[in-house]
Amino acid sequence: MGESSGRKLMVQVCNAKNLMPKDGQGTASAYAIVDFDGQRRRTNTKSRDLNPQWDETLEFIVHDKDSMASETLEVNLYNDKKTGKRSTFLGKVKLSGSTFVKSGSETIAYYPLEKRSVFSQIKGELGLKVWYVDDPPEAENTGEQKTESAPPTEEKPPGNLEGEIKEDEPENNKPDEDKPKEEPTAEKPKEEVPEETASPKQEVSNPSIVQTEKPKQGNERHHEVLKCADLNVNVSNGELRSLSSDRSRSAYDLVDPMPFLYVRVVKTKRARLETGSTVYANLSIGTRSVKTKSETESKDWDQVFAFDKEGLNSTSLEVSVWSEVKEGEEKSESCLGTVSFDLQEVPRRVPPDSPLAPQWYTLESETTPGNDVMLAVWIGSQADEAFQEAWLSDSGGLIPETRAKVYLSPKLWYLRLTVIQTQDLKLASETEAKVRNPELCVKAQLGAQIFKTGRTSSGSANPTWNEDLVLVAAEPFQPFLDLIVEDVSNSKTVGHAKVHVATIERRTDDQIELKSRWFNLYSEDESRSYAGRIHVRVCLEGGYHVIDETAHVTSDVRASAKQLTKPPIGLLEVGIRGATNLLPVKTIDGTHGTTDAFVVAKYGPKWVRTRTIMDQFNPRWNEQYTWDVYDPCTVLTIGVFDNGRYKTGEDGKPNRDCRIGKVRVRLSTLETNRVYANSYSLVVLLPGGAKRMGEIEIAVRFSCSSWLSLIQAYASPILPRMHYVRPFGPAQQDILRQTAMKIVTARLARSEPALGQEVVQFMLDSDTHMWGMRRSKANWFRVVRCLSRAATLLGWVDGIRTWVHPPMTLLVHMLLAATVLCPYLVLPTVFLCAFLILLLRFRYRQRVPGNMDMRMSYVDMVSLDELDEEFDGFPTTRPAEVVKMRYDRVRALAGRAQTLLGDVAAQGERLEALFSWRDPRATGIFAVVCLMMSLLFYAVPFRGLVLVAVFYYLRHPRFRDDMPSIPANFFRRLPSFSDQIM
């Protein structure tokens, strides 16, 4: 065994449900074999039980903490037959190391059992708890001594088990603890592991170990992902082009390299010390000059400066060191010397080369010789490690608000509170109460969230609710969940209780039963007297995905519980290259316009923010970022903003960032392992109308290492299982989404530097639920466009029916006759035609990922009043006359919708009237027709009737009447309930 890293993985095999019977008698005797990192453990056998309960905890040693996330935990279930016979396979579960949680956060999770092959008959679920603990070295050594002192006992089964093994047999028939075994390959059949004869306690504490070959590490897996996509960017007209595989991939292959002159100033050494003096270094390149912080000689500067090489106006760098001496209120400065560098002689460094070591340079000075400065000068790119911490010449220096940063959204959970009942409430006396039978409700408060139950007026001190309240909790959690019982009728608080959020149980499935809890209620006065108790059931729901984005642009669909997270299926790489022709957003001193642009990209919980390029209308960022992809049907959002927060306003608060435009890229529209380098228009909607602000140039690549995982993702549900087993209502889901958005906005606004509220809301589309005439028209025309396809088809059928093109109509007659005479060719012909149509349309597929469409968004045909209504807040702040006019307009639209709904309902009521005898004569006629049709269909072959009906429908216009048909007239005369509406 290798050396331990001080970390242990604990796997609790809890139970299994609905296993497949494998013993021929309708039951199964199941046991589990758990493999992790070359180690193997085995549970006891539960005889003749399709729902076995083990509750055994198995312990594994983690050899490398860093590579644990790339390891795989595999649990195989087998049916244990009699001694000497082979065991049969019951299913397996594979878990990625990235889903393991730390001790204290574990919870039971049920995983569906997977098949070993296509022909395996497997069903059921396996309940597991997986967590890891970091032990101190002393505890680790003690554990090793205990393991050595109590070796596991093992009894060999009788018989020769080295024969040929069938497919359904388990792995490694005879485990050996002393000699490591090689990991079985996919071609070799798995051998059986016999059941140990030791006691259950000895099996759990001292399980047998089989050393196997360790799987590949995380970095090797990453290289495999990169090898499958050796591509380059072709920036001409957004076309795609893959290069030969001999080109090596780098961390910045989607963007252009930007040369920077790096200067690392470390410290200085003086020949003569002066008490009370500070020193600083000044760097000068032509007209550019910057100085380090002033420090005493005992402290180091250790600052890095990066100058954009293309913007330099000189070929030499001059570094001078200055001394400051404070005499009273005045400061005196003296130059300690200078050192110059020819930029043409500066060495070039390309990662992964090691950093350039600083050197001592003698400062040239006639007055104070003998002084030295330690620094390093090199030319690199934005891929240099020092780029993130460097003073940047194009970003205004070391201003925190202009730096590139990566943000993470808080991890969100749904907190479900079931209020059952209260007992022994100390209600107000009859003399104090305004109402004799008060109405009570329970209020739950978590931070700024407040949700209430319904009111109950039982007239007793033990009311019952049995009502669920769902809140949104964000890690790190709020300390307490407040429960308040209110007397609504008397406007009085009966009592309150506090629930420590850290002690709330977490669950991943609705099959896990929760225990209810009682909490004492206390009054809110100073005495805090006992006011009764409340019975609740509370848990953190880890089986849901907390939706904090609009449903159609979501970028993450993973469940809150880490145990339910599947391994990523691919890698998303985004290169933010630059922008062109940006319009000025603000003015400097009222003289000329300027734009300080930066880009924010959001995918999943990860937000990235580029550095701010100051005072440029054609900024070039050339920054590249990566995300893990867990679902291909997700959306990447990129927004461009003008930085206003690095300056404070007149009130002392930072200014707001101004939005410039936004781009969305749906990953499912991208071909795998291809680079899309395109320019997208930036359009922003303002109260005065839509305005084109410029263009942004980005490069996107979606790499996927496994086509099988990608195809499986399309067959799996979009959201986790709990959304379908126990769904929320539309109104409740919308409230929870708005709450989650507010939490994410507040948390990111507290970062340093802050990601402004206006930025987060613009990226999340937090105002899509608000009414707007423009959005309503856009959605209406979307429906019309979809229905126009059906209208086109109906028009084509009507053209066939009216013999507009006689040859086509005759051809349709022959095809229909062939279809009726050979009905078994209908479905093959339909699917073959669909395949051919799709094949022909492949050449006309979209080559460039789509962006937001101005015409489809209806921004070019919208009035200013409709835009003003869309930008109006809630509640409205407009004058009463404007609100009245808009209200009348909405009433007119609602009247049309009301009429449309009534017409649709009337059609259904007429159909229902055929069978309800509301119109006796119409229903009687319909009954006689049904009888005649039954006799006709019994006497005449079905094919002949269908052929005659089709030919009659397609008859020539000479034999056709202009009036509506008899069935249409009969249906329109049927009664509806429209005349009974008041």
Side-chain angles (χ1 to χ4, degrees):
M1 299 296 292
E3 296 183 358
S4 173
S5 63
R7 174 174 292 181
K8 294 181 180 179
L9 181 69
M10 314 300 292
V11 180
Q12 183 178 357
V13 184
C14 300
N15 62 345
K17 297 181 180 180
N18 303 323
L19 296 180
M20 176 70 71
K22 291 282 182 146
D23 60 353
Q25 300 178 3
T27 60
S29 300
Y31 67 92
I33 294 178
V34 186
D35 294 288
F36 176 75
D37 195 12
Q39 306 165 63
R40 171 165 291 174
R41 306 287 188 271
R42 184 189 189 281
T43 65
N44 286 332
T45 300
K46 297 299 179 180
S47 300
R48 302 180 62 82
D49 191 355
L50 294 179
N51 299 284
Q53 188 82 23
W54 289 285
D55 291 328
E56 298 185 22
T57 303
L58 309 178
E59 180 180 304
F60 297 86
I61 298 175
V62 179
H63 299 97
D64 189 358
K65 296 181 181 179
D66 298 331
S67 63
M68 187 184 73
S70 62
E71 301 286 354
T72 301
L73 175 72
E74 183 173 350
V75 184
N76 292 272
L77 291 186
Y78 298 98
N79 174 46
D80 192 2
K81 291 188 176 180
K82 296 180 180 179
T83 304
K85 295 185 178 180
R86 302 185 182 96
S87 299
T88 52
F89 181 69
L90 291 177
K92 66 178 180 179
V93 171
K94 284 187 176 182
L95 301 179
S96 174
S98 59
T99 63
F100 302 159
V101 298
K102 197 173 183 180
S103 177
S105 301
E106 69 276 7
T107 181
I108 184 172
Y110 286 91
Y111 302 94
L113 293 173
E114 301 176 0
K115 297 181 179 181
R116 180 188 294 173
S117 65
V118 180
F119 304 101
S120 300
Q121 295 182 357
I122 302 299
K123 72 173 184 177
E125 295 177 328
L126 180 62
L128 297 174
K129 277 187 181 181
V130 184
W131 71 95
Y132 62 87
V133 292
D134 293 322
D135 294 336
E138 294 81 9
E140 182 182 345
N141 296 336
T142 305
E144 292 178 358
Q145 294 175 1
K146 290 182 179 180
T147 305
E148 294 176 359
S149 62
T153 60
E154 180 179 341
E155 181 179 346
K156 295 183 179 179
N160 184 13
L161 302 178
E162 297 180 356
E164 183 179 356
I165 307 299
K166 295 183 180 180
E167 178 191 1
D168 285 343
E169 299 177 7
E171 296 181 352
N172 297 336
N173 193 358
K174 299 170 66 177
D176 190 358
E177 298 180 5
D178 299 327
K179 297 180 181 180
K181 288 187 177 182
E182 295 181 356
E183 185 178 5
T185 59
E187 292 78 15
K188 294 182 180 181
K190 296 187 177 181
E191 299 180 351
E192 179 184 357
V193 178
E195 179 184 3
E196 298 177 0
T197 59
S199 62
K201 293 184 180 180
Q202 290 177 345
E203 282 188 276
V204 174
S205 60
N206 301 298
S208 59
I209 301 175
V210 176
Q211 177 70 27
T212 59
E213 183 182 353
K214 292 184 65 176
K216 295 182 179 181
Q217 304 297 328
N219 55 355
E220 297 178 2
R221 175 184 171 275
H222 183 66
H223 288 318
E224 289 180 358
V225 174
L226 296 182
K227 285 180 181 178
C228 69
D230 253 346
L231 309 165
N232 192 14
V233 181
N234 182 15
V235 297
S236 60
N237 299 327
E239 297 179 355
L240 308 177
R241 182 183 63 179
S242 63
L243 297 184
S244 59
S245 58
D246 57 349
R247 180 186 179 276
S248 61
R249 289 274 299 275
S250 64
Y252 283 81
D253 60 338
L254 297 182
V255 295
D256 299 329
M258 296 183 65
F260 283 90
L261 174 65
Y262 289 93
V263 182
R264 178 183 291 274
V265 185
V266 183
K267 57 184 177 180
T268 184
K269 182 171 60 177
R270 300 172 60 182
R272 186 180 63 182
L273 299 178
E274 297 182 6
T275 59
S277 63
T278 58
V279 292
Y280 68 89
N282 186 73
L283 285 69
S284 299
I285 305 178
T287 58
R288 292 190 175 184
S289 179
V290 61
K291 67 177 184 178
T292 65
K293 54 188 176 182
S294 297
E295 297 286 357
T296 59
E297 190 174 353
S298 60
K299 296 183 179 180
D300 299 342
W301 295 305
D302 197 15
Q303 287 184 258
V304 182
F305 299 87
F307 299 90
D308 187 3
K309 195 170 183 297
E310 295 180 355
L312 300 180
N313 54 6
S314 178
T315 59
S316 64
L317 165 68
E318 183 178 289
V319 180
S320 59
V321 180
W322 295 75
S323 173
E324 286 184 334
V325 179
K326 188 174 182 180
E327 299 177 356
E329 297 182 356
E330 298 182 357
K331 289 184 179 180
S332 60
E333 297 182 354
S334 59
C335 182
L336 302 180
T338 60
V339 58
S340 299
F341 297 88
D342 188 357
L343 300 185
Q344 297 179 356
E345 302 296 332
V346 173
R348 183 179 296 273
R349 175 182 177 268
V350 179
D353 294 348
S354 300
L356 191 65
Q359 300 179 8
W360 286 104
Y361 292 91
T362 302
L363 297 174
E364 299 178 0
S365 176
E366 298 179 356
T367 57
T368 56
N371 299 321
D372 298 330
V373 63
M374 177 180 284
L375 52 85
V377 183
W378 73 94
I379 294 177
S381 64
Q382 70 271 34
D384 202 292
E385 294 86 352
F387 181 77
Q388 297 298 332
E389 60 175 320
W391 176 96
L392 299 173
S393 60
D394 57 357
S395 296
L398 293 174
I399 303 175
E401 288 78 10
T402 62
R403 311 288 293 174
K405 291 292 180 181
V406 176
Y407 302 86
L408 289 177
S409 298
K411 189 175 183 180
L412 303 177
W413 295 71
Y414 285 138
L415 190 150
R416 186 186 297 274
L417 172 68
T418 304
V419 181
I420 303 175
Q421 63 177 347
T422 56
Q423 289 184 358
D424 306 331
L425 294 181
K426 305 299 181 182
L427 300 177
S429 61
E430 296 184 2
T431 58
E432 298 176 355
K434 301 177 182 178
V435 181
R436 177 170 296 182
N437 294 326
E439 293 184 346
L440 301 176
C441 72
V442 178
K443 181 171 66 175
Q445 181 174 0
L446 181 66
Q449 304 176 63
I450 298 177
F451 290 90
K452 295 182 179 181
T453 64
R455 299 181 182 182
T456 178
S457 56
S458 61
S460 65
N462 304 321
T464 302
W465 285 274
N466 286 322
E467 186 174 341
D468 282 353
L469 299 178
V470 181
L471 301 88
V472 180
E475 293 184 358
F477 297 120
Q478 296 282 344
F480 296 101
L481 169 66
D482 294 332
L483 304 179
I484 304 171
V485 181
E486 291 185 344
D487 184 353
V488 182
S489 302
N490 298 315
S491 302
K492 181 181 179 182
T493 300
V494 178
H496 75 280
K498 289 183 179 292
V499 181
H500 198 268
V501 180
T503 63
I504 295 178
E505 183 180 357
R506 305 182 184 186
R507 71 172 183 177
T508 58
D509 201 305
D510 62 331
Q511 301 178 6
I512 302 174
E513 297 182 359
L514 298 174
K515 297 180 180 180
S516 58
R517 304 166 65 182
W518 287 93
F519 293 94
N520 292 333
L521 296 171
Y522 297 95
S523 60
E524 291 187 340
D525 53 11
E526 298 180 356
S527 62
R528 290 185 54 81
S529 59
Y530 176 76
R533 61 177 187 164
I534 184 171
H535 191 198
V536 298
R537 187 183 297 112
V538 60
C539 70
L540 289 169
E541 296 281 9
Y544 291 94
H545 167 68
V546 181
I547 301 176
D548 58 350
E549 302 171 287
T550 308
H552 59 275
V553 293
T554 183
S555 61
D556 189 13
V557 292
R558 290 176 293 168
S560 300
K562 190 178 180 181
Q563 297 91 328
L564 301 181
T565 302
K566 296 181 180 180
I569 63 173
L571 189 70
L572 174 64
E573 300 168 272
V574 179
I576 303 174
R577 302 169 66 87
T580 57
N581 303 323
L582 295 182
L583 297 182
V585 177
K586 55 192 175 186
T587 59
I588 299 179
D589 300 330
T591 56
H592 68 282
T594 183
T595 298
D596 304 325
F598 68 94
V599 179
V600 175
K602 196 261 181 194
Y603 184 78
K606 179 180 175 182
W607 302 63
V608 299
R609 170 179 176 162
T610 66
R611 69 188 189 277
T612 301
I613 305 297
M614 309 293 288
D615 195 15
Q616 289 192 25
F617 299 126
N618 298 284
R620 305 299 297 177
W621 292 285
N622 284 311
E623 299 182 18
Q624 185 169 336
Y625 300 93
T626 60
W627 287 267
D628 287 330
V629 178
Y630 296 88
D631 194 296
C633 301
T634 45
V635 178
L636 166 72
T637 304
I638 300 175
V640 185
F641 303 88
D642 174 76
N643 196 332
R645 288 186 170 268
Y646 73 95
K647 291 183 178 181
T648 57
E650 298 178 356
D651 55 355
K653 297 181 180 180
N655 296 323
R656 295 169 59 90
D657 296 331
C658 182
R659 55 190 183 184
I660 296 178
K662 182 165 54 178
V663 174
R664 294 195 189 104
V665 178
R666 184 170 291 273
L667 269 63
S668 58
T669 62
L670 303 178
E671 298 181 17
T672 56
N673 305 327
R674 295 296 180 94
V675 175
Y676 292 81
N678 303 283
S679 295
Y680 298 91
S681 297
L682 296 173
V683 181
V684 63
L685 191 61
L686 302 173
K691 189 175 183 180
R692 192 181 299 272
M693 302 295 293
E695 292 184 348
I696 183 174
E697 183 182 351
I698 60 175
V700 182
R701 173 171 53 212
F702 174 37
S703 304
C704 180
S705 58
S706 174
W707 271 94
L708 181 61
S709 301
L710 191 62
I711 296 175
Q712 288 178 348
Y714 277 89
S716 61
I718 298 179
L719 294 172
R721 177 176 178 271
M722 286 291 289
H723 285 272
Y724 306 98
V725 175
R726 199 171 181 181
F728 297 117
Q732 185 181 19
Q733 185 65 74
D734 187 64
I735 294 174
L736 293 175
R737 183 175 64 89
Q738 294 297 325
T739 304
M741 284 185 178
K742 293 178 181 178
I743 293 176
V744 172
T745 302
R747 289 291 180 89
L748 294 179
R750 292 168 54 187
S751 305
E752 187 61 37
L755 197 61
Q757 176 182 0
E758 62 279 2
V759 174
V760 178
Q761 291 180 350
F762 183 64
M763 296 289 290
L764 295 179
D765 283 340
S766 60
D767 58 345
T768 53
H769 66 288
M770 302 294 293
W771 161 263
M773 182 65 68
R774 179 191 62 84
R775 286 198 183 99
S776 301
K777 290 182 179 179
N779 292 331
W780 168 256
F781 284 111
R782 287 172 59 196
V783 175
V784 170
R785 189 179 64 170
C786 293
L787 295 179
S788 63
R789 310 287 176 84
T792 303
L793 180 61
L794 293 177
W796 179 80
V797 173
D798 187 70
I800 299 296
R801 177 173 173 264
T802 56
W803 292 69
V804 176
H805 301 288
M808 179 64 69
T809 304
L810 293 176
L811 179 61
V812 171
H813 278 75
M814 291 187 291
L815 290 177
L816 289 175
T819 302
V820 173
L821 297 177
C822 304
Y824 54 87
L825 296 178
V826 174
L827 292 180
T829 304
V830 169
F831 286 106
L832 180 61
C833 292
F835 171 75
L836 294 177
I837 291 173
L838 295 175
L839 201 62
L840 291 175
R841 290 189 175 185
F842 177 75
R843 59 183 300 182
Y844 302 107
R845 69 189 185 278
Q846 188 176 3
R847 304 281 180 162
V848 179
N851 190 19
M852 287 178 287
D853 194 336
M854 293 181 60
R855 178 169 297 180
M856 188 180 300
S857 302
Y858 212 77
V859 297
D860 53 349
M861 294 177 287
V862 62
S863 64
L864 296 180
D865 181 69
E866 294 173 353
L867 283 176
D868 183 71
E869 180 184 14
E870 185 173 343
F871 281 91
D872 189 12
F874 189 84
T876 181
T877 57
R878 299 299 184 263
E881 295 79 8
V882 177
V883 175
K884 180 179 179 299
M885 183 268 295
R886 293 174 180 173
Y887 175 68
D888 293 338
R889 182 173 58 194
V890 173
R891 287 179 62 192
L893 290 176
R896 298 178 189 174
Q898 173 183 291
T899 304
L900 179 62
L901 292 176
D903 294 340
V904 173
Q907 307 306 318
E909 291 166 355
R910 287 169 179 163
L911 184 62
E912 185 182 356
L914 279 175
F915 302 91
S916 62
W917 292 88
R918 288 189 62 213
D919 188 344
R921 285 175 294 276
T923 307
I925 295 173
F926 181 67
V928 173
V929 171
C930 289
L931 178 61
M932 296 175 60
M933 294 300 295
S934 64
L935 297 176
L936 180 64
F937 276 95
Y938 180 77
V940 181
F942 179 75
R943 296 182 182 179
L945 287 176
V946 172
L947 193 61
V948 170
V950 172
F951 283 174
Y952 176 77
Y953 179 76
L954 298 177
R955 65 191 183 277
H956 196 273
R958 181 179 302 176
F959 308 103
R960 195 184 304 275
D961 192 5
D962 294 336
M963 302 302 292
S965 62
I966 295 177
N969 295 331
F970 180 79
F971 184 78
R972 291 172 183 173
R973 290 178 179 275
L974 293 174
S976 67
F977 292 106
S978 300
D979 54 344
Q980 299 183 15
I981 301 296
M982 297 182 63

